[in-house]
Structures are given as structure tokens and as C-alpha cells.
Amino acid sequence: MKSAVENLNPTRVRLTVEVPFEELKDSLDAAYKKINQQVTVKGFRKGKIPARVIDQRFGRGAVLEEAVNDALPKFYTEAVNEAELNVLGQPEVDITELKDGETLNFTAEVDVRPAIEIPDYSGIEVEVDAVEVTDEDVEKSVEQLRERFASTTPVERAAEDGDVVTVDLEAKVEGEVLEDGVANGVSYTIGSGELLDGIDDAVKGLEAGGEATFTSELKGGSAAGKEAEVTVKVTQVAKRELPELDDEFAQMASEFDTLDELRADSRKRLENMKQFDQATQAQERVLEKLLELVEVPVPEKLLEDEINTRKHNLEHHQLGQMGLTLDKYLELQGKTAEEFENETREAAVKGIKTQFVLDELVKQEKLNVNQEELTEHLMRRAASSGMSPDQFAQAVVEQGQVPLLVGEVARGKALAVVVEKATVKDTNGEIIDLSDEDEDEAAAEPADAETSEAAAEEKSEG
């Protein structure tokens, strides 16, 4: 077999492959054997039909077609390996010549990972928000904790802002009560905004036994997005009472003995959260600066696959769970279809570029992923998916996604290397040391283009 490579552009090549006919022998034998098992010829036992009889009865062309279909993936893979190509997705194969007994010639056009040169990135500088926790922040945090320990006492008066009402609801669309439009004994805090738009105005001023009707757009269920006439009946009004803000509250709501200790702990927790946000912000901004330094051509087919994958996941998973259509989602977001298309394309381009650049850094920096790092990352992903670590690990193995997770961790480590060499200052001009931050957190952004490229690689291996 002889092969040659022609670079069509930085992300696509054409392989030209010439195969001497004798190298098709194994595939021809397999073709005759397969046809033997599929057909019957009078006078011959099944599976024992001579090749010349198969040629006469069914045509040599049918045998050649079967043999070529069997042989092409093998010769294509050999040509790819010989040229040391890093291919993406399925090739477009064209048989240019097939002479029985002489030769098989074909071409294969396929996308490849572009060659990327990583320049010196040690001079990257970014600015991030300073970690500042005010007394107001602390008091807001303590007040939120206090809200969780509020008690309710039924009252015989009209409902007011902040009261907890128990209500029965009935929703009609075009005069018909919806099958899933009735709910009884629903507890609702007036002003929380957790139920339907318009319910606050409807129940305020009602006592137990009172009812009102209002119009609202349904947020979920069988008629999500439609205008409904909703009847609400108040069965109980209860006043919320907050506990006194004192040492006794601190002892009840936490492991601390005094309110001052509780406030100090709240301040520390808020600082830790803001430090984490600061580290994430630094990673994102360093990554943006890195991408600006590197010229990364993006394979058009891979880009289109990524865009389609993002749209599919949004429409059929995220929005589907909320009972929204894409049109309704865009309306709620105040975006046009064109703006949505442009944003999706920009995000897909960034995701693919990020993966290419960080994968190149993994090779350049000779980064490896050990079992402990992989396990920690798996547990984080399991927690975010709502599955147990064992369930998530089993799903990952069954779907052959272990290499994807390894790639995520490796890219996270690559980004951490860049962040460590960058100069990160906060808005106060203070230099921030992020060398001790958890490298695994950096994997979130690089994972952006996993879906499409993983699918592309699976196809190319299939």
C-alpha cells in the first residue's frame, strides 16, 4: 500500500491511497465466506458454494463491493497512522479506481487537529475583583440564616406582605380546567416570587376562606407558556416570626455559643466563597488572554457539530425540563434568533479553541493524570450530576468516557500552569497568589467542547 497526504487547509487533508490487489485477498476471502452464509444454490450445501459459482450467479461485482467495504477502514487507518495524522470525525471517501486483479485506489478527505504553536505566556497579566466582605454582607448572611429558623403562627386577619398563606389553586386555559392545573394545600410566602406572577396581589387582603381570580402565564406543566385564568382560595393565613438575634439564636442555629462567633464564622465563609470566585475569575481571564496569543484555526465540520450539539442539549434537555420551547426561551431572554445563533457560534468556537490550546499545552508541559486526580475529578462531576460516585463511575465506564475525564483533568492542570505563571492583581493593585488553588477546578471551562469532539473521535475509530 502507498499513500500520500495533501494539506487542503490548516484543518483538512486529502489522503491518496493505492492498494495492490493482492492486499485485498483477506477481504475477498471474507466476502466469499459472508456471501456463502447468506445465499443458497441448488446442488451445494450452505456455506460450501465455490467462488466461481458465486461469481456466476451473483456477479463478481457484488463480491468486490463487499471486499472493498471490509478493506477500506483498515487501509484508511494504516494511511492515517503512517502519516501520523490526528484526525477528527469521519472521512469522506471516494474510490477513484478499482481494477479487478490489479489495484484499488481511493482518496479520503478528513478534518485534522491544526498544528498549534504556543508562544511565551509568562507575561500574561489580568485584573480580578478584590476579596472584600463588608459588615453589611455579614449581616445579610446572618439574616438569611435567621429566616430559615422563622416560625409561623396562624392569625385571623387579612394576609399581608411576608405572611405565609396556605392556598388551593385551580388553573383554566380557554375555559377548561387543566388536568395538572389543580393543587391543594400549597404553602406560599407572600412576596417570595416562588409561584405564579400576580398571586401576590391576588392574595393580599384576603382572610382565610377568601378567594380571588387572576391571569398569569404558566411556568411549567402541560400548558407551559400559555395564559391561564387562576383561581386561588386562601385556607389559612400565618404570620412569620423571626427568632431574636442573640446568643441563644447562635446556639440554636449553629455550633457557636455567641452571636459574635457566628458573625465571625459567616465572615470567614463569605471570604472563602469570594476567594473561590476570584480564582475562577482569574482562570477565565487568563484563558482569554492565552487564546488571544494563539492562532487557532477551527475545523468547520467540527464547529457545526458543536453548534448543533449545544442547540440540541439546550432545546431537548435544559428547556425541555422547564417546559419551554426555544422561541419562548428567546422571548424571555429578550434575544433574537440571530443573536442566539451568533452567541452559540462564538461559544462553540471558544470551546474548541480552548480544548486545542490546552491539549497542546498538556503535551508541551508533559502533564500526566494520576489515579487520585482522576478520582477526585470524578467525585466532583458525580456531585454536580446528582448521581452517587459509584453510579457516575459506572456510567462513565459503560459509555467509554474515561478518556474524556482524563482529558478534562489534564486540561485543568495545563490551565493551572498558565495561571501560576501569570501576574494576577486585584482591583486594589494587590498581587494575588493562586498557586495553592485546586487545579481540578480549572477543568470546567476546557470541558466546553468535549461533546462534539468526543463524538467525532468515536466516529473516526468506529
Side-chain angles (χ1 to χ4, degrees):
M1 184 195 81
K2 293 193 301 182
S3 64
V5 180
E6 177 187 357
N7 292 314
L8 302 177
N9 60 49
T11 64
R12 194 164 179 84
V13 299
R14 179 188 292 124
L15 282 164
T16 301
V17 183
E18 298 178 10
V19 183
F21 204 80
E22 56 266 23
E23 293 188 31
L24 286 172
K25 182 179 183 310
D26 288 345
S27 293
L28 278 168
D29 291 344
Y32 279 115
K33 186 174 181 180
K34 182 176 180 180
I35 294 172
N36 240 310
Q37 299 300 322
Q38 294 175 338
V39 301
T40 56
V41 175
K42 191 174 180 180
F44 297 95
R45 284 182 296 158
K46 195 173 185 66
K48 299 295 183 180
I49 308 170
R52 58 179 176 76
V53 175
I54 290 177
D55 288 347
Q56 290 168 357
R57 289 293 185 92
F58 306 101
R60 174 72 167 175
V63 179
L64 288 175
E65 182 179 356
E66 183 66 41
V68 169
N69 287 340
D70 176 74
L72 275 177
K74 180 183 71 171
F75 292 123
Y76 165 73
T77 301
E78 286 182 14
V80 166
N81 292 338
E82 187 178 286
E84 298 182 342
L85 298 175
N86 198 337
V87 299
L88 301 167
Q90 290 277 41
E92 294 179 8
V93 178
D94 181 26
I95 298 173
T96 55
E97 187 175 24
L98 175 58
K99 289 186 178 179
D100 194 358
E102 294 184 30
T103 187
L104 163 66
N105 298 337
F106 69 90
T107 61
E109 289 190 17
V110 66
D111 286 334
V112 294
R113 277 190 177 234
I116 298 174
E117 185 175 336
I118 307 291
D120 179 21
Y121 50 81
S122 60
I124 289 178
E125 294 187 12
V126 296
E127 184 180 76
V128 295
D129 295 336
V131 172
E132 294 175 346
V133 177
T134 65
D135 291 344
E136 184 180 346
D137 293 332
V138 174
E139 290 308 312
K140 183 178 178 181
S141 175
V142 172
E143 193 61 28
Q144 288 172 344
L145 181 62
R146 190 181 176 207
E147 290 275 350
R148 286 167 50 191
F149 284 85
S151 60
T152 57
T153 304
V155 292
E156 295 182 4
R157 60 164 171 75
E160 302 172 355
D161 267 325
D163 284 345
V164 178
V165 290
T166 305
V167 297
D168 296 338
L169 298 166
E170 180 185 85
K172 293 180 180 179
V173 173
E174 297 177 354
E176 295 292 327
V177 178
L178 300 171
E179 287 186 13
D180 55 354
V182 177
N184 295 321
V186 178
S187 181
Y188 175 66
T189 301
I190 300 175
S192 66
E194 294 173 354
L195 272 177
L196 299 166
D197 292 339
I199 192 171
D200 288 340
D201 291 335
V203 298
K204 276 191 292 187
L206 294 181
E207 298 183 20
E211 67 176 61
T213 300
F214 63 100
T215 301
S216 183
E217 183 179 297
L218 299 178
K219 297 179 180 178
S222 61
K226 293 185 178 180
E227 288 288 323
E229 182 183 82
V230 182
T231 299
V232 55
K233 181 178 181 180
V234 176
T235 59
Q236 179 180 277
V237 178
K239 180 181 179 182
R240 295 178 76 251
E241 296 179 340
L242 298 175
E244 288 294 326
L245 204 53
D246 52 21
D247 291 347
E248 187 176 334
F249 165 70
Q251 294 163 18
M252 173 181 66
S254 71
E255 69 270 32
F256 302 106
D257 294 327
T258 68
L259 186 59
D260 286 342
E261 289 174 330
L262 175 59
R263 285 191 172 115
D265 181 69
S266 294
R267 184 179 294 276
K268 183 62 178 175
R269 288 175 186 273
L270 290 170
E271 286 174 352
N272 289 340
M273 287 171 58
K274 292 201 173 189
Q275 284 170 353
F276 178 83
D277 291 342
Q278 186 187 65
T280 302
Q281 190 180 63
Q283 290 168 350
E284 291 171 352
R285 293 184 178 179
V286 168
L287 177 61
E288 287 172 3
K289 290 281 189 180
L290 176 64
L291 294 181
E292 289 172 7
L293 293 176
V294 188
E295 185 68 32
V296 187
V298 175
E300 192 59 36
K301 180 65 169 63
L302 181 62
L303 176 58
E304 292 307 315
D305 287 346
E306 175 67 9
I307 290 171
N308 290 334
T309 297
R310 286 169 181 263
K311 288 180 180 177
H312 178 85
N313 288 342
L314 176 65
E315 249 183 295
H316 299 282
H317 297 295
Q318 299 168 38
L319 297 183
Q321 291 175 356
M322 295 187 287
L324 291 175
T325 63
L326 180 58
D327 288 342
K328 190 61 185 177
Y329 167 75
L330 294 180
E331 182 184 327
L332 293 172
Q333 292 289 312
K335 293 178 183 175
T336 65
E338 184 179 0
E339 288 171 337
F340 171 71
E341 290 285 340
N342 291 338
E343 287 179 8
T344 303
R345 176 171 286 270
E346 287 174 10
V349 168
K350 182 183 177 184
I352 293 171
K353 285 186 175 182
T354 294
Q355 187 166 348
F356 285 172
V357 169
L358 294 183
D359 281 347
E360 185 62 31
L361 268 170
V362 169
K363 288 197 302 183
Q364 182 175 300
E365 300 289 342
K366 297 181 173 61
L367 300 174
N368 296 308
V369 176
N370 61 41
Q371 186 61 48
E372 183 180 354
E373 291 167 333
L374 181 60
T375 299
E376 287 179 4
H377 184 62
L378 185 147
M379 293 182 73
R380 291 179 189 276
R381 289 289 302 273
S384 64
S385 72
M387 301 169 67
S388 73
D390 288 344
Q391 289 174 324
F392 187 79
Q394 183 178 349
V396 166
V397 172
E398 288 177 353
Q399 295 170 23
Q401 292 183 339
V402 173
L404 269 66
L405 289 189
V406 172
E408 288 176 9
V409 178
R411 283 187 281 277
K413 295 179 71 172
L415 181 54
V417 168
V418 183
V419 171
E420 190 172 344
K421 292 185 179 180
T423 300
V424 181
K425 292 182 180 180
D426 67 16
T427 48
N428 294 328
E430 297 290 329
I431 293 181
I432 308 300
D433 181 11
L434 297 170
S435 59
D436 292 332
E437 293 297 329
D438 190 344
E439 293 173 355
D440 190 48
E441 294 300 326
E445 180 77 28
D448 207 19
E450 282 295 342
T451 306
S452 63
E453 186 164 358
E457 289 176 353
E458 282 179 14
K459 289 177 185 174
S460 69
E461 292 168 1

